[in-house]
């Protein structure tokens, strides 16, 4: 895990102390809101519907037990006893008071964390595969590259006022779990024919009101060229990106309007310049970063007790099937802890749950945790022999839902329960859907499915990428929900297609039930998952289920 | 034809805690929208909104919200977003619903 050096520490402390003064000035009236707004946003402090919201970056979604315990402490001392984990591997506190924010930031600095660049038109938190450093399919741990990017982008003097926000994601596996094709820049670590490790560079992906699948701008970029190449992309964007229209200011629009060929030409030309002028990080610095991410000292162990527990406890067996992924070491496992209990808010964890997770991570997961963009928490390195005990501890903390990848494992943004930008609520929709399919006892029967909900067109809930996507809007003075079908978030990334007219809040749940009912009727077997049925049959039979003809409604 | 004027009140967020507040006829900010001063025409609404420039120490982002009024008092906010602001989130009993007896912040 990366630990701040003296420079990082000093920089973060300085920023906290500056912001403390700025808050005081706002409170004593020497700064107007207009002047203060930019300053608070630079420090991750938003003003939402009912309160301030503090967004804290969890770099590449990786954290240790001390950091998790600090979140619990902040939640109890200055907030309302819980935190919300987001699709960008951040945590948000929904109830901080302005006068306490500097103290919160100081507490975060104690554990090498901050809220810098979690808002504004700058490079945001660099996100990564949540199985980094643990998964069996990984070519290389992407976190040293992500950390290098974090250091490069933090307080980068040229890129604090970009045309719009800028999001980078990186994966080290061929199986993309970081949604790299939906980012301003997506990076995939791969090997070329000579066996050298480098990056496939993808640009111009994004969701929001104009969703685009990213384009590959470089099939293979040598590792040593990462920063100069990214710098070249940012320079081209900084110069060419539109500043006249907020809705057309992201790099995806520049790529779309200019064409990927011309953008590639500009980037490659700028890159030539960067190659000679860019002051690359020293080998010593890179080695120091890499050292921080060396694999922990994995132990040898046998795990007869794990197999025995699986045959004895069907509940544990289901948990293993749904929530456990293969680890690079045969006697270890990756545990995904669901923050999607039936009827609860996706992505929320109480301070008590955070402490339990921190303790488990410290005792059983080499002190490491990860946050997934799917709003769950990962224990990346758990020995199989410890899984029965870990499961019991999770159960006692109400953290053992065996629903990863099922219909209740919903991504949902905060929506109009909190967010000032939202046009409708998302949380009650997620809660209703998970409750309903639990009542019907159909969740495991339905099997793998991705359902994603956003409360506005900005798409923080990734609705475009849901096999079923739900977008909350306002229509005629009430909340109205559009359904999209056929989205996908992996390397086959696809943007869902709108099924038809939207549904009122009351109509939505029965519509989803009809849609799932149609799938269960139409699939060839349990092995054919929802998305496969949709691909095989096309959208028509599903659209018919969503919008039954009047006659058949009357008969029913 | 000009659209008929809908009765309005002035709302904002409290500077310290961010909670929704409403401008009263005594020129104070209340957490309870029932206490808000209502504006019966466009001019009055614009004037009242402009007056909030002097309230910068207490509030953030003042704007006008449509209300239904009876006997000179607001009885219901018309937009669902504004209704949510008078209660708090739906997933936890937090926000205004938690402190519905507190009034008068400025």
């Amino acid at each position: 895990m990366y630990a701040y050096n003296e420079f990082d520490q000093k920089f973060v402390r300085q920023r906290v102390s500056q912001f403390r003064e700025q808050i005081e000035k706002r409170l004593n009236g020497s700064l107007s809101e207009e002047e203060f707004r930019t300053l608070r946003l630079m420090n991750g402090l938003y003003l939402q519907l009912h309160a301030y919201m503090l967004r804290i970056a969890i770099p590449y979604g990786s954290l240790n037990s001390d950091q998790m315990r600090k979140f619990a402490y902040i939640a109890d001392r200055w907030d309302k006893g819980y935190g919300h984990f987001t699709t960008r591997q951040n945590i948000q506190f929904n109830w901080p008071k302005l006068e306490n924010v500097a103290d919160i930031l100081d507490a975060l600095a104690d554990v090498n964390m901050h809220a810098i660049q979690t808002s504004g038109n700058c490079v945001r938190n660099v996100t990564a595969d949540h199985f980094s450093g643990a998964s069996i399919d990984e070519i290389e741990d992407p976190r040293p590259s992500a950390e290098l990017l974090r250091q490069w982008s933090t307080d980068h003097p040229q890129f604090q006022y970009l045309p719009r926000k800028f999001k980078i994601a990186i994966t080290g596996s061929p199986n993309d779990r970081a949604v790299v094709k939906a980012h301003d820049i997506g990076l995939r670590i791969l090997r070329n024919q000579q066996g050298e490790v480098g990056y496939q560079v993808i640009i111009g992906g994004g969701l929001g009101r104009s969703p685009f699948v990213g384009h590959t701008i470089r099939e293979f970029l040598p590792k040593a060229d990462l920063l100069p190449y990214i710098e070249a992309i940012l320079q081209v964007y900084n110069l060419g990106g539109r500043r006249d229209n907020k809705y057309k200011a992201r790099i995806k629009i520049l790529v779309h309007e200019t064409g990927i060929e011309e953008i590639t030409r500009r980037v490659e030309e700028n890159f030539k310049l960067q190659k000679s002028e860019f002051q690359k990080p020293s080998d010593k610095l890179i080695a120091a970063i890499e050292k921080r991410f060396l694999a922990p000292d994995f132990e040898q162990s046998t795990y007869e007790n794990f197999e025995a527990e699986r045959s004895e406890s069907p509940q544990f067996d289901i948990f293993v099937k749904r929530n456990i992924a293969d680890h690079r070491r045969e006697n270890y496992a990756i545990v995904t802890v669901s923050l999607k209990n039936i009827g609860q808010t996706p992505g929320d964890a109480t301070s008590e749950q955070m402490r339990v997770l921190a303790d488990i991570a410290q005792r059983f997961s080499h002190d490491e945790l990860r946050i997934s963009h799917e709003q769950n928490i990962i224990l990346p390195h758990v020995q199989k022999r410890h899984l029965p005990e870990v499961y019991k501890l999770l159960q006692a903390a109400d953290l053992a839902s065996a629903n990863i990848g099922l219909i209740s494992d919903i991504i949902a943004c905060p929506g109009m329960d909190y967010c000032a930008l939202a046009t409708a609520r998302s949380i009650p929709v997620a809660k209703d859907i998970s409750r309903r399919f639990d009542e019907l006892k159909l969740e495991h029967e339905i099997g793998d499915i991705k359902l994603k909900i956003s409360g506005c067109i900005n798409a923080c809930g990734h609705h475009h990428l849901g096999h079923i996507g739900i977008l909350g809007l306002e229509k005629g003075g009430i909340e109205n929900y559009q359904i999209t079908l056929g989205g996908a978030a992996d390397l086959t990334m696809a943007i869902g297609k709108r099924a038809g007219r939207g549904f009122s809040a009351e109509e939505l749940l029965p519509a989803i039930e009809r849609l799932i009912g149609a799938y269960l009727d139409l699939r060839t077997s349990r092995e054919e998952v929802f998305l496969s049925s949709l691909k095989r049959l096309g959208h028509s039979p599903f659209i018919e289920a969503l919008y039954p003809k009047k006659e058949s409604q009357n008969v029913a | 034809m000009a659209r008929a004027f809908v009765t309005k009140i002035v709302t904002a967020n409290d500077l310290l805690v961010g909670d929704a507040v409403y401008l009263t006829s005594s020129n104070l900010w209340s957490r309870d929208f029932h206490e808000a001063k209502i504006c019966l025409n466009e001019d009055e609404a614009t004037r009242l909104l402009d007056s909030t420039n002097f309230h910068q120490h207490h509030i953030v982002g003042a704007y006008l919200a449509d209300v239904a009024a009876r006997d000179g008092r607001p009885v219901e906010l018309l937009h669902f977003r504004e209704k949510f602001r008078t209660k708090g989130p739906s997933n936890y009993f937090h926000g205004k619903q938690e402190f519905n007896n507190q009034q008068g912040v400025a």
Side-chain angles (χ1 to χ4, degrees):
Chain A
M1 189 77 80
Y2 185 74
Y4 281 5
N5 60 25
E6 209 180 308
F7 174 82
D8 297 321
Q9 267 294 347
K10 205 172 149 194
F11 171 72
V12 171
R13 292 284 180 196
Q14 225 167 26
R15 278 290 292 265
V16 176
S17 118
Q18 279 169 358
F19 191 44
R20 186 180 292 281
E21 276 175 36
Q22 290 156 355
I23 291 172
E24 277 163 19
K25 283 182 181 162
R26 176 69 183 101
L27 291 174
N28 72 23
S30 19
L31 278 177
S32 71
E33 183 59 24
E34 206 183 343
E35 291 160 324
F36 181 65
R37 190 173 176 274
T38 320
L39 302 170
R40 71 168 157 79
L41 289 176
M42 283 169 85
N43 290 286
L45 187 64
Y46 290 71
L47 184 54
Q48 299 284 46
L49 281 188
H50 314 290
Y52 287 95
M53 179 272 280
L54 185 66
R55 178 182 293 160
I56 297 150
I58 301 167
Y60 29 88
S62 232
L63 73 165
N64 61 29
S65 61
D66 281 347
Q67 292 170 323
M68 188 61 111
R69 280 192 198 97
K70 192 62 89 172
F71 289 158
Y73 173 78
I74 290 168
D76 284 338
R77 173 142 187 211
W78 292 295
D79 210 85
K80 290 191 188 285
Y82 74 99
H84 175 73
F85 292 97
T86 77
T87 51
R88 293 223 73 255
Q89 299 179 320
N90 298 310
I91 184 170
Q92 295 182 171
F93 288 106
N94 287 323
W95 304 95
K97 291 185 177 139
L98 184 57
E99 61 195 358
N100 295 330
V101 172
D103 289 341
I104 299 176
L105 294 176
D106 252 333
L108 287 168
D110 291 344
V111 292
N112 293 348
M113 300 202 99
H114 61 70
I116 297 165
Q117 291 185 205
T118 59
S119 175
N121 296 335
C122 51
V123 179
R124 302 286 189 90
N125 187 26
V126 176
T127 54
D129 180 354
H130 44 268
F131 289 172
S132 295
S135 73
I136 195 167
D137 58 359
E138 190 170 84
I139 294 162
E140 191 179 280
D141 188 339
R143 290 174 302 158
S145 304
E147 173 57 27
L148 194 61
L149 287 164
R150 187 192 71 80
Q151 294 192 17
W152 160 82
S153 63
T154 302
D155 213 29
H156 191 305
Q158 267 189 55
F159 305 140
Q160 293 303 302
Y161 294 95
L162 292 165
R164 197 78 178 85
K165 60 187 165 185
F166 203 91
K167 299 176 183 177
I168 304 176
I170 179 163
T171 177
S173 298
N175 296 308
D176 177 22
R177 286 174 289 262
V179 209
V180 293
K181 285 189 172 174
H183 283 77
D184 296 284
I185 294 179
L187 297 166
R188 280 181 69 209
I189 293 180
L190 39 68
R191 283 182 200 283
N192 65 7
Q193 284 179 334
Q194 288 72 44
E196 297 155 334
V197 174
Y199 310 93
Q200 179 189 2
V201 184
I202 298 159
I203 68 163
L207 303 175
R209 83 180 50 224
S210 322
F212 286 103
V213 178
H215 301 265
T216 299
I217 185 165
R218 243 318 172 99
E219 290 291 350
F220 185 84
L221 181 75
K223 273 190 84 175
D225 289 338
L226 178 65
L227 291 189
Y229 198 81
I230 301 295
E231 176 107 0
I233 295 173
L234 263 295
Q235 288 208 356
V236 168
Y237 169 55
N238 207 10
L239 280 173
R242 288 178 59 167
R243 290 173 191 267
D244 61 325
N245 182 341
K246 176 180 167 181
Y247 302 116
K248 295 189 172 178
R250 297 287 288 268
I251 194 173
K252 61 187 175 184
I253 305 292
L254 177 68
V255 172
H256 179 68
E257 289 183 347
T258 316
I260 185 67
E261 294 78 16
E262 171 58 15
I263 293 296
T264 308
R265 191 194 63 73
R266 288 187 205 171
V267 168
E268 293 291 338
E269 193 177 278
N270 189 299
F271 175 56
K272 276 185 208 149
L273 196 73
Q274 295 300 333
K275 269 195 104 159
S276 56
E277 287 185 358
F278 190 87
Q279 208 184 345
K280 282 191 187 175
S282 67
D283 292 347
K284 200 175 142 197
L285 174 77
I286 291 182
I289 291 175
E290 280 174 353
K291 205 175 149 196
R292 288 288 179 184
F293 294 96
L294 289 179
D297 292 329
F298 292 126
E299 291 171 29
Q300 300 285 348
S301 54
T302 56
Y303 46 88
E304 296 81 9
N305 66 324
F306 164 71
E307 300 297 355
E309 184 71 15
R310 279 191 81 170
S311 22
E312 272 168 35
S313 159
Q315 222 181 354
F316 177 65
D317 188 54
I318 293 174
F319 179 81
V320 171
K321 282 182 182 144
R322 293 302 333 175
N323 296 41
I324 302 296
D326 288 340
H327 192 275
R328 56 202 268 199
R329 294 290 291 257
E330 190 271 334
N331 59 322
Y332 276 73
I334 304 171
V335 181
T336 300
V337 179
S338 168
L339 294 184
K340 315 290 176 64
N341 282 350
I342 300 302
Q344 293 187 11
T345 307
D348 279 9
T350 65
S351 55
E352 189 47 36
Q353 289 176 324
M354 292 181 204
R355 278 189 205 98
V356 168
L357 287 163
D359 291 347
I360 296 175
Q362 192 168 22
R363 283 179 64 197
F364 299 109
S365 183
H366 292 275
D367 206 30
E368 289 193 34
L369 297 137
R370 313 257 196 273
I371 308 305
S372 76
H373 80 268
E374 292 182 314
Q375 301 177 285
N376 293 312
I377 293 181
I378 318 296
L379 296 161
H381 310 297
V382 182
Q383 289 187 60
K384 285 181 182 164
R385 71 187 172 109
H386 291 144
L387 280 174
E389 191 176 350
V390 166
Y391 179 65
K392 285 193 182 85
L393 293 168
L394 291 173
Q395 264 185 321
D398 205 13
L399 285 167
S401 284
N403 61 349
I404 298 303
L406 297 178
I407 198 164
S408 60
D409 185 11
I410 297 169
I411 290 185
C413 70
M416 205 184 268
D417 280 302
Y418 296 90
C419 179
L421 300 174
T423 43
R425 289 173 298 178
S426 321
I427 292 169
V429 175
K431 290 168 71 164
D432 286 351
I433 292 173
S434 84
R435 266 198 214 108
R436 182 62 183 146
F437 286 97
D438 183 58
E439 280 164 13
L440 296 169
K441 297 291 163 224
L442 272 179
E443 189 166 39
H444 287 271
E445 182 63 33
I446 298 161
D448 288 331
I449 191 163
K450 301 281 184 194
L451 196 148
K452 307 183 194 235
I453 310 169
S454 304
C456 82
I457 194 69
N458 291 316
C460 294
H462 294 191
H463 66 277
H464 296 296
L465 305 182
H467 303 166
I468 299 173
I470 299 175
L471 165 63
L473 296 168
E474 175 191 344
K475 196 177 171 193
I478 58 165
E479 291 164 293
N480 185 272
Y481 296 90
Q482 281 180 5
I483 293 179
T484 51
L485 296 173
D490 54 16
L491 271 186
T492 65
M493 177 179 157
I495 292 165
K497 289 201 170 60
R498 201 178 136 189
R501 67 163 179 86
F503 296 91
S504 69
E506 291 72 32
E507 293 170 332
L508 182 62
L509 189 56
I512 298 290
E513 243 183 280
R514 290 196 299 276
L515 181 62
I516 296 297
Y519 157 65
L520 293 174
D521 287 344
L522 293 165
R523 69 183 180 183
T524 51
S525 70
R526 286 186 73 158
E527 277 62 54
E528 186 179 84
V529 297
F530 178 83
L531 188 63
S532 306
S533 290
L534 196 69
K535 282 182 179 164
R536 179 174 61 83
L537 296 162
H539 291 198
S540 304
F542 298 94
I543 290 173
E544 278 167 29
L546 281 172
Y547 306 99
K549 292 199 177 74
K550 284 251 164 63
E551 308 83 79
S552 52
Q553 263 183 340
N554 291 339
V555 173
Chain B
M1 207 174 87
R3 201 182 285 176
F5 181 80
V6 179
T7 316
K8 292 187 190 343
I9 58 175
V10 174
T11 182
N13 288 75
D14 174 62
L15 174 66
L16 275 176
V17 298
D19 192 13
V21 289
Y22 305 91
L23 188 58
T24 69
S25 42
S26 346
N27 215 21
L28 294 173
W29 293 89
S30 168
R31 293 188 193 280
D32 182 359
F33 81 93
H34 294 99
E35 300 187 344
K37 176 181 169 59
I38 58 167
C39 308
L40 297 169
N41 60 58
E42 200 78 57
D43 287 347
E44 202 181 346
T46 313
R47 235 184 357 257
L48 198 63
L49 187 60
D50 286 347
S51 77
T52 62
N53 289 333
F54 299 102
H55 296 251
Q56 278 275 329
H57 287 18
H58 303 295
I59 55 111
V60 182
Y63 61 94
L64 296 164
D66 294 348
V67 285
R70 200 180 310 130
D71 304 328
R73 285 170 66 89
V75 288
E76 190 185 11
L77 281 147
L78 296 182
H79 196 281
F80 61 87
R81 182 183 195 269
E82 293 307 322
K83 289 184 210 265
F84 298 159
R85 286 178 79 236
T86 68
K87 290 182 191 154
S90 67
N91 59 335
Y92 303 116
F93 197 67
H94 291 155
K96 273 199 196 317
Q97 54 204 343
E98 199 181 1
F99 302 105
N100 54 6
N101 293 324
Q102 284 187 19
Q103 287 169 9
V105 292

